[in-house]
Amino acid sequence: MKFAIASIVLLLAACSAPESATSNAPEPVPALTPAASVELPRPVSETEVLEPGAPQALRVVGTEPFWGLQVQDEALTFTTPDDQVGLQMRGIRTEVAGGGLDISGRSGAKDFSLKVRPGECSDGMSDMEFTMTAQFRIGESDYTGCAQAAK
């Protein structure tokens, strides 16, 4: 009987696959991706300026606090890290002599205005250089940042 039990144990051991050294290692944890990111615009050449009368798309960014505007003609989308969908606004667009731009209007109960002017600008956080400065006001909140033509 002892011989039969020993034979069965040896047969089972021989038939089973050997355990690899890594089988007891913990499963790798997949890398986490950020829930939301703020897309910064890429730099443009100094020769790219606003052309009066032409439809213009702009990207405007600012830091402390982080914020952004996407501008297409007289439509603006204002985003923050807390609101990536953004607030949609439409205003009156006015081309300013020298390549500047003003857009103003009302969103709900808040007035807003955007002023973009040619000039060197740095966002203060990256090494990116921009060709326009921007000031945005909505309600009682003021934001300062940099702008460039969107591609």
Side-chain angles (χ1 to χ4, degrees):
M1 173 100 157
K2 289 182 186 179
F3 180 75
I5 292 175
S7 296
I8 291 173
V9 169
L10 285 175
L11 283 173
L12 289 174
C15 292
S16 65
E19 287 187 23
S20 67
T22 60
S23 67
N24 291 334
E27 290 290 320
V29 177
L32 296 176
T33 55
S37 62
V38 177
E39 182 181 318
L40 293 175
R42 62 182 185 74
V44 295
S45 73
E46 290 183 20
T47 59
E48 289 187 78
V49 295
L50 299 176
E51 297 175 19
Q56 294 294 315
L58 296 173
R59 287 187 177 168
V60 183
V61 295
T63 58
E64 298 181 28
F66 287 100
W67 63 278
L69 276 172
Q70 298 294 322
V71 179
Q72 180 62 51
D73 297 322
E74 68 278 347
L76 293 82
T77 303
F78 175 61
T79 58
T80 64
D82 294 333
D83 183 6
Q84 289 292 302
V85 173
L87 174 63
Q88 307 287 318
M89 300 171 274
R90 188 168 291 278
I92 298 171
R93 180 184 175 116
T94 306
E95 304 289 336
V96 177
L101 168 71
D102 290 345
I103 300 176
S104 59
R106 189 164 184 83
S107 176
K110 295 181 180 181
D111 291 329
F112 69 87
S113 67
L114 171 66
K115 295 181 184 308
V116 177
R117 300 293 184 266
E120 293 179 10
C121 189
S122 172
D123 66 6
M125 297 289 285
S126 70
D127 293 331
M128 295 174 66
E129 294 295 323
F130 299 84
T131 59
M132 293 174 264
T133 63
Q135 293 179 335
F136 179 63
R137 180 175 178 93
I138 183 162
E140 297 299 315
S141 300
D142 293 309
Y143 300 88
T144 301
C146 301
Q148 68 183 20
K151 299 292 180 197

